[in-house]
Amino acid sequence: MAQKITKRSEDYSQWYLDVVKEAQLAEHSPVRGSMVIKPTGMALWENMRNALDHMFKETGHENAYFPLFIPKSFLSKEAQHVEGFAKECAVVTHSRLKSVEGGVEVDPDSRLEEELIVRPTSETIIWDTYRNWIQSYRDLPILVNQWANVVRWEMRTRLFLRTMEFLWQEGHTAHATREEAVAETKQMLEVYRSFAEEFMAMPVITGVKTASERFAGAEDTYCIEALMQDGKALQAGTSHFLGQNFAKAFDVTFQDKDGEHKHVWATSWGVSTRLIGGLIMTHSDDSGLVIPPKLAPKQVVIVPIYRSDEEQDLVLAYGNALLEELKTKGIRAHMDTRDTYKPGFKFAEHEARGIPLRIAIGPRDVQNNKVELARRDTFEKQLTDRDGIADTIANLLETIQNDLFQRALQRRNDMTTEVESYDEFKQVLDEKGGFIYAHWDGTAETEERIKNETKATIRCIPFGDSEGGKCMVTGKDSPKKVLFARAY
Amino acid sequence: MAQKITKRSEDYSQWYLDVVKEAQLAEHSPVRGSMVIKPTGMALWENMRNALDHMFKETGHENAYFPLFIPKSFLSKEAQHVEGFAKECAVVTHSRLKSVEGGVEVDPDSRLEEELIVRPTSETIIWDTYRNWIQSYRDLPILVNQWANVVRWEMRTRLFLRTMEFLWQEGHTAHATREEAVAETKQMLEVYRSFAEEFMAMPVITGVKTASERFAGAEDTYCIEALMQDGKALQAGTSHFLGQNFAKAFDVTFQDKDGEHKHVWATSWGVSTRLIGGLIMTHSDDSGLVIPPKLAPKQVVIVPIYRSDEEQDLVLAYGNALLEELKTKGIRAHMDTRDTYKPGFKFAEHEARGIPLRIAIGPRDVQNNKVELARRDTFEKQLTDRDGIADTIANLLETIQNDLFQRALQRRNDMTTEVESYDEFKQVLDEKGGFIYAHWDGTAETEERIKNETKATIRCIPFGDSEGGKCMVTGKDSPKKVLFARAY
């Protein structure tokens, strides 16, 4: 399998597609821009979803489900929102087909009175619903999340990173005060940060977007930004403080404790199957996918090696006992008993699919009460005692998880540069890429100029204090350095 | 709350809608025919989904995800399939909106070359995909399931029972032989039967549909049929043997062990949020929802009762210790500490929402080391020792689960009649309703006549042997009695 994967150094984009293919995560579908998520990819997404869902519930959120279709008129109610999404909407106009010679055609008599938009995001339909759910301060806060598919008509798509239809979660909360809504926005960003770092082993920078990069309809967009191996940034999750924009657009008010009627404060926040793209480009290598153990659908694969029937019986019995012991310990283990493939083929296949740990067992291991462990991330092998193997492996999986994070962090730090001048900025960008901290005067004009001249964008204004200085382009005052990169 | 629910004897349809509303399960959305599934309804669906998903995985299935949109031409490839779905399709024709004075309009320049259908079911897109997944017998079987939303343009909708968009799962499997595909179809029907009976406590009859009630594109449709309290039947799940129809339509062949190229055999099977409607109409009463404990998002609610601050401290401490003990036992318990509502109001609310068991605790209970348990299903109360309460409650929840099933089974049996003549058939149907077993000559004509004259349909031809006889309408030979009912 491994030789089917293009080297990163040769063609990074092709490498990415090869990894997705050989790991059997997803493939293109006949509907342009849509993907088929294959069972291995779906199992990975389910693990990510379950971990996130648990974190959402721990922070007091409940799931609900809102309609796929949004009346066209709803989109127009929030001016910036429609501006942001109008140009990439799938529009349903008819409700029937009719048979004609050689196939079916749209039945012109089934034209809808009002067209329906396939949701690109659900703020409008949800705030229309919240109007009926909220009368009094007693009805607040509303802390709701939705797991759903959404559609944005993208012209240039890439599996997981940018697809016309994608799976995501979108949280939509309603609050009595600005302070509470801002606190929620920040809390959910922190949930995303800790998920990215603790589960995906993907270090992220947190901060706030500039006005031009904000979600359409938000007062502030907070984000987590990760750095991929090729030195490009990936926006991995966003949490929006929506102010009272949607409450005003949909007339959602509540009677406060003081008897006054006030508009409700809102947040929304989301991550999507795009995270899988981020995970791939954070850890994988020229042999294929590398998955952090916490998210791996299969954490351990046992490959039995034998020549004779007698050896087979011996090795499989040894392997089955081992398998049971690992499962009992809660380790997601699997034995590859296919007799149509040789061990070497299996090794390459499991490497391409990113299983964190491989156990090879042969007749001699049975005799010596040993197993051979091979780490996917480092390819290190070690011959280990069979006794206490479940604990050994549990610890090793934890080590792998930590090592993946530390290596990714080290790489990000190595690829992060602080610059003082625009010349230095351009030089670093072209020669090294990565994250670049630089002073910026805070204007959209300068941001736009930098983007046009270098293709780098401001990924975020990081949280926390830093020293003031002068904008690298205009020399005007800048309160702090901001984070630039070329991005996916 | 309770008085807001119409009595079943007064207006069964309104009772159903009232239960859905007061239990906060779902509500109508501004998009005609679409519903909003509220957090309580979604938590119930998630419990159902998790139980089913576990059963699917135990039988070797994996989840995947296929595109929401299906090219129009795909639908036409299987003649019966397009016939069945063409008249209820949401059709996407454009990909952009543009701003006009006062709002947005569909941009006529964004007209798609080929229209896209929002999936009413996914056989076509999936079999188009399987063509690339299957070359050899080694690639079979494919055992894939998808959790997804689907859209069927229904004119007359009712929350959960029939909605334009609904959530469901659809299994799509591919096999080398007819026998294996038939076995899979039956296995999944058995999964549905055991889920319905063991989790939903809803007894079902299994059997096969007549040709006229078959899924569009199937050779055989197996089903589970439940009987609602009002004597109407509900088709609760279907499992289809698709023969080679889709393999031929999409040219999916494999090279068999004997070297021959053969068409693949297929099944598909699904259940949907419609099951929630079935659950409601199986167990609920004039006080609201009744949920079987195995599926209840909250199994136990503790209501503390006190007058003074001192009593409050005492009772809440007692309640918290109780809550922890129940949670430790794995019981989904919750304490209702809201001080804005009185106990009587809370009792009615929890009844309307169907929480299986209520625990009321007051100062005297603390003193006597007792708790008062009240069953939602029977309204029976018992004063119980505090000691060993977690075991007591775990056992009681199991008893409630079993009692719900037994009562539903008893009711179904009471409402099932065998008849010998068409006159008797019509009389039973009008006076009693329910399931009716009667002889039928096996022709579509007779089936159609009975449907037109009585609104009763053949729910299924039950599995197993039974005595032959004469058709109640035509007097022609009939190999066995079949199951009739008026249905949702």
Side-chain angles (χ1 to χ4, degrees):
Chain A
M1 307 281 288
Q3 68 277 19
K4 294 184 192 164
I5 296 172
T6 305
K7 286 198 169 69
R8 283 166 291 182
S9 55
E10 283 172 19
D11 182 343
Y12 191 82
S13 292
Q14 190 56 48
W15 166 81
Y16 175 80
L17 293 175
D18 289 349
V19 170
V20 171
K21 183 178 180 198
E22 295 304 321
Q24 307 229 352
L25 296 177
E27 63 187 35
H28 291 289
S29 90
V31 180
R32 201 179 56 80
S34 286
M35 64 178 165
V36 173
I37 304 179
K38 300 181 80 168
T40 313
M42 201 60 196
L44 175 58
W45 176 242
E46 286 179 344
N47 284 351
M48 296 170 87
R49 193 187 63 189
N50 291 344
L52 280 165
D53 198 68
H54 182 73
M55 294 169 92
F56 298 157
K57 282 173 178 163
E58 288 289 300
T59 44
H61 301 85
E62 300 177 295
N63 290 329
Y65 187 77
F66 296 87
L68 172 68
F69 295 142
I70 297 177
K72 190 189 65 179
S73 59
F74 280 27
L75 268 195
S76 331
K77 292 200 179 179
E78 213 289 329
Q80 291 184 321
H81 193 70
V82 68
E83 179 78 14
F85 289 103
K87 290 189 182 118
E88 49 184 39
C89 281
V91 188
V92 176
T93 56
H94 292 75
S95 67
R96 251 190 342 260
L97 300 174
K98 63 172 189 179
S99 296
V100 292
E101 183 128 348
V104 282
E105 275 186 7
V106 178
D107 185 343
D109 294 340
S110 72
R111 169 115 209 163
L112 304 184
E113 271 183 50
E114 180 178 4
E115 296 90 350
L116 299 173
I117 308 303
V118 181
R119 63 181 162 219
T121 180
S122 301
E123 278 77 6
T124 57
I125 188 93
I126 286 178
W127 278 87
D128 184 77
T129 304
Y130 281 177
R131 188 177 52 247
N132 300 317
W133 290 10
I134 300 170
Q135 273 87 43
S136 144
Y137 68 91
R138 288 189 201 86
D139 301 321
L140 296 171
I142 292 178
L143 303 173
V144 160
N145 175 62
Q146 161 169 279
W147 292 95
N149 53 345
V150 287
V151 170
R152 297 175 187 178
W153 208 275
E154 301 277 359
M155 298 308 286
R156 287 183 302 178
T157 61
R158 194 186 308 210
L159 292 169
F160 292 119
L161 292 171
R162 193 179 293 277
T163 49
M164 180 173 79
E165 180 191 5
F166 54 92
L167 303 183
W168 80 342
Q169 60 69 216
E170 47 182 323
H172 294 274
T173 70
H175 305 267
T177 65
R178 166 186 278 271
E179 291 67 37
E180 204 184 297
V182 169
E184 167 78 6
T185 315
K186 288 182 175 164
Q187 171 185 256
M188 298 323 291
L189 189 75
E190 174 57 21
V191 164
Y192 290 157
R193 186 203 61 72
S194 79
F195 174 76
E197 301 198 334
E198 289 164 27
F199 285 84
M200 297 176 65
M202 180 175 80
V204 293
I205 305 280
T206 56
V208 61
K209 289 282 183 193
T210 62
S212 69
E213 300 276 337
R214 230 174 249 156
F215 176 75
E219 280 199 19
D220 262 322
T221 287
Y222 300 152
C223 61
I224 55 171
E225 294 283 327
L227 191 65
M228 304 293 98
Q229 294 174 6
D230 63 344
K232 285 171 75 175
L234 184 80
Q235 175 180 302
T238 47
S239 183
H240 314 295
F241 169 60
L242 303 174
Q244 295 174 313
N245 292 343
F246 286 91
K248 285 178 179 166
F250 287 89
D251 194 25
V252 185
T253 60
F254 70 103
Q255 188 170 28
D256 207 348
K257 286 178 186 169
D258 58 14
E260 300 265 317
H261 287 268
K262 300 172 182 172
H263 281 108
V264 177
W265 298 86
T267 84
S268 68
W269 29 274
V271 296
S272 74
T273 36
R274 172 170 240 221
L275 285 178
I276 295 177
L279 184 143
I280 294 167
M281 290 199 292
T282 299
H283 303 298
S284 301
D285 60 26
D286 291 349
S287 300
L289 185 65
V290 173
I291 315 183
K294 279 193 190 177
L295 294 175
K298 292 175 185 168
Q299 297 175 310
V300 175
V301 61
I302 302 170
V303 180
I305 301 171
Y306 48 80
R307 289 209 187 83
S308 64
D309 284 357
E310 196 186 335
E311 282 184 2
Q312 178 175 0
D313 291 348
L314 194 71
V315 169
L316 288 185
Y318 191 72
N320 276 321
L322 182 57
L323 185 64
E324 280 318 302
E325 197 173 325
L326 296 180
K327 283 185 177 172
T328 303
K329 179 85 181 174
I331 294 166
R332 296 188 289 273
H334 164 78
M335 182 151 71
D336 184 350
T337 55
R338 293 175 298 171
D339 53 12
T340 37
Y341 298 101
K342 300 208 162 151
F345 177 90
K346 291 181 182 180
F347 286 8
E349 191 178 88
H350 298 310
E351 277 171 11
R353 296 185 187 185
I355 299 179
L357 204 58
R358 180 182 77 219
I359 302 180
I361 46 172
R364 192 151 49 165
D365 299 316
V366 179
Q367 209 168 15
N368 298 336
N369 207 31
K370 298 274 183 186
V371 299
E372 186 197 75
L373 304 181
R375 284 174 64 158
R376 170 64 186 88
D377 61 328
T378 59
F379 298 102
E380 282 169 341
K381 289 184 192 172
Q382 58 179 96
L383 203 62
T384 304
D385 285 340
R386 168 69 180 80
D387 297 335
I389 190 70
D391 285 331
T392 308
I393 286 178
N395 290 334
L396 188 51
L397 291 173
E398 213 168 293
T399 302
I400 293 172
Q401 181 82 29
N402 292 334
D403 287 358
L404 285 174
F405 179 74
Q406 289 304 329
R407 271 200 300 279
L409 185 62
Q410 185 64 51
R411 194 184 58 241
R412 187 191 73 188
N413 290 345
D414 291 345
M415 295 183 77
T416 300
T417 315
E418 280 201 42
V419 303
E420 302 302 328
S421 74
Y422 195 32
D423 280 346
E424 196 185 349
F425 178 86
K426 286 186 274 195
Q427 191 186 350
V428 170
L429 201 58
D430 286 339
E431 290 176 5
K432 182 178 171 187
F435 279 146
I436 307 179
Y437 285 99
H439 279 298
W440 160 63
D441 64 14
T443 68
E445 293 70 33
T446 304
E447 186 183 8
E448 181 75 11
R449 178 178 156 191
I450 295 169
K451 185 177 173 180
N452 289 339
E453 291 177 356
T454 69
K455 290 185 184 148
T457 50
I458 299 176
R459 304 316 305 154
C460 69
I461 304 166
F463 291 130
D465 294 328
S466 81
E467 232 167 298
K470 301 291 180 190
C471 174
M472 63 171 172
V473 177
T474 62
K476 289 183 194 161
D477 283 347
S478 153
K480 64 158 82 168
K481 282 180 173 158
V482 299
L483 187 68
F484 287 89
R486 289 183 181 137
Y488 278 93
Chain B
M1 306 283 287
Q3 68 279 15
K4 295 184 190 163
I5 297 172
T6 305
K7 286 198 169 72
R8 283 166 291 181
S9 55
E10 282 171 20
D11 182 344
Y12 192 82
S13 293
Q14 189 56 47
W15 165 82
Y16 176 79
L17 294 175
D18 289 349
V19 170
V20 171
K21 182 178 179 200
E22 294 304 322
Q24 307 229 351
L25 296 177
E27 63 187 35
H28 292 288
S29 89
V31 180
R32 201 179 56 79
S34 286
M35 64 179 163
V36 173
I37 304 179
K38 300 181 80 169
T40 312
M42 201 59 197
L44 175 57
W45 177 243
E46 286 179 344
N47 284 351
M48 297 169 87
R49 193 187 64 188
N50 292 343
L52 280 165
D53 197 69
H54 181 74
M55 295 168 92
F56 298 157
K57 283 173 180 165
E58 288 289 302
T59 44
H61 301 85
E62 299 177 295
N63 290 328
Y65 187 78
F66 297 86
L68 172 69
F69 295 144
I70 297 176
K72 190 189 65 179
S73 59
F74 280 28
L75 268 194
S76 331
K77 292 199 180 179
E78 213 290 328
Q80 291 184 323
H81 193 70
V82 67
E83 180 79 14
F85 289 103
K87 289 187 182 121
E88 48 185 40
C89 281
V91 188
V92 176
T93 56
H94 293 77
S95 67
R96 247 185 352 254
L97 301 175
K98 63 172 188 179
S99 296
V100 292
E101 182 130 347
V104 283
E105 275 185 7
V106 177
D107 184 344
D109 294 340
S110 72
R111 170 114 208 165
L112 304 183
E113 271 185 48
E114 180 179 5
E115 296 88 351
L116 299 172
I117 309 303
V118 181
R119 63 181 162 219
T121 180
S122 301
E123 278 78 6
T124 57
I125 188 95
I126 286 178
W127 278 88
D128 183 77
T129 304
Y130 282 179
R131 187 177 53 248
N132 301 317
W133 290 10
I134 301 169
Q135 273 89 43
S136 146
Y137 68 91
R138 287 189 201 85
D139 301 322
L140 296 172
I142 292 178
L143 304 173
V144 160
N145 175 60
Q146 161 169 280
W147 291 95
N149 53 344
V150 287
V151 169
R152 296 175 186 178
W153 208 274
E154 300 277 358
M155 298 308 285
R156 286 183 303 178
T157 61
R158 195 184 310 208
L159 292 169
F160 293 119
L161 292 171
R162 193 178 294 275
T163 48
M164 179 174 80
E165 180 191 5
F166 54 91
L167 303 183
W168 80 342
Q169 61 68 218
E170 46 181 325
H172 295 273
T173 70
H175 305 268
T177 65
R178 166 185 278 271
E179 292 66 36
E180 202 184 298
V182 169
E184 166 78 6
T185 315
K186 287 183 174 164
Q187 172 184 254
M188 298 323 290
L189 189 75
E190 174 57 20
V191 164
Y192 290 155
R193 187 204 59 74
S194 79
F195 174 75
E197 299 197 336
E198 289 165 28
F199 285 85
M200 297 176 65
M202 181 175 81
V204 293
I205 306 280
T206 56
V208 61
K209 289 283 181 192
T210 62
S212 69
E213 300 276 337
R214 231 176 248 157
F215 175 75
E219 280 201 18
D220 263 324
T221 288
Y222 299 153
C223 61
I224 54 171
E225 294 283 328
L227 191 64
M228 304 294 98
Q229 295 173 4
D230 63 344
K232 285 171 76 176
L234 184 80
Q235 175 180 302
T238 47
S239 183
H240 314 296
F241 170 60
L242 303 174
Q244 296 175 312
N245 293 344
F246 286 91
K248 285 178 179 164
F250 288 89
D251 193 25
V252 186
T253 60
F254 70 103
Q255 187 170 29
D256 207 349
K257 287 178 186 169
D258 58 15
E260 300 265 318
H261 287 269
K262 301 172 182 172
H263 281 108
V264 177
W265 299 86
T267 85
S268 68
W269 29 274
V271 296
S272 74
T273 35
R274 174 170 237 223
L275 285 178
I276 295 177
L279 184 143
I280 295 167
M281 290 199 292
T282 300
H283 303 298
S284 302
D285 61 25
D286 291 349
S287 299
L289 185 66
V290 174
I291 314 183
K294 278 192 189 177
L295 294 175
K298 291 176 186 167
Q299 298 175 310
V300 175
V301 61
I302 302 169
V303 180
I305 301 171
Y306 48 80
R307 289 209 188 84
S308 64
D309 285 357
E310 196 185 335
E311 283 184 3
Q312 178 176 1
D313 292 348
L314 194 71
V315 169
L316 288 185
Y318 191 74
N320 276 321
L322 183 57
L323 185 64
E324 280 317 302
E325 197 173 322
L326 296 180
K327 283 187 177 171
T328 304
K329 180 85 180 175
I331 294 165
R332 296 188 289 274
H334 164 77
M335 182 152 69
D336 185 350
T337 55
R338 293 175 298 172
D339 52 12
T340 38
Y341 299 100
K342 300 210 162 146
F345 178 90
K346 292 181 181 178
F347 286 8
E349 192 178 87
H350 298 310
E351 278 170 11
R353 296 185 187 184
I355 299 179
L357 204 57
R358 181 183 75 221
I359 302 179
I361 45 171
R364 194 152 48 167
D365 300 315
V366 179
Q367 211 169 13
N368 298 339
N369 207 31
K370 298 275 183 185
V371 299
E372 187 197 74
L373 305 180
R375 283 174 64 158
R376 170 63 186 88
D377 62 327
T378 60
F379 299 102
E380 282 169 339
K381 289 182 192 173
Q382 57 180 95
L383 202 61
T384 305
D385 285 340
R386 168 71 181 78
D387 298 336
I389 190 69
D391 285 332
T392 308
I393 286 178
N395 291 335
L396 188 50
L397 290 173
E398 213 168 293
T399 302
I400 293 171
Q401 181 82 30
N402 292 335
D403 287 357
L404 286 173
F405 179 74
Q406 289 304 330
R407 270 199 300 280
L409 184 62
Q410 185 62 51
R411 194 185 57 243
R412 187 191 73 187
N413 290 345
D414 291 345
M415 295 184 76
T416 300
T417 314
E418 281 200 42
V419 303
E420 303 301 329
S421 74
Y422 195 31
D423 281 345
E424 196 185 350
F425 179 86
K426 288 187 273 196
Q427 192 186 350
V428 170
L429 201 57
D430 287 339
E431 289 176 8
K432 183 177 170 186
F435 278 146
I436 306 178
Y437 285 100
H439 279 297
W440 161 64
D441 63 16
T443 67
E445 293 70 32
T446 304
E447 186 184 10
E448 180 76 10
R449 177 177 158 194
I450 295 169
K451 185 176 173 181
N452 290 338
E453 291 177 354
T454 69
K455 292 185 183 145
T457 50
I458 299 177
R459 304 315 306 152
C460 68
I461 304 165
F463 292 130
D465 295 327
S466 81
E467 232 167 295
K470 302 289 180 192
C471 174
M472 64 171 172
V473 177
T474 62
K476 291 184 191 159
D477 283 347
S478 153
K480 64 157 85 168
K481 283 182 174 156
V482 300
L483 186 68
F484 288 90
R486 292 185 180 135
Y488 278 94

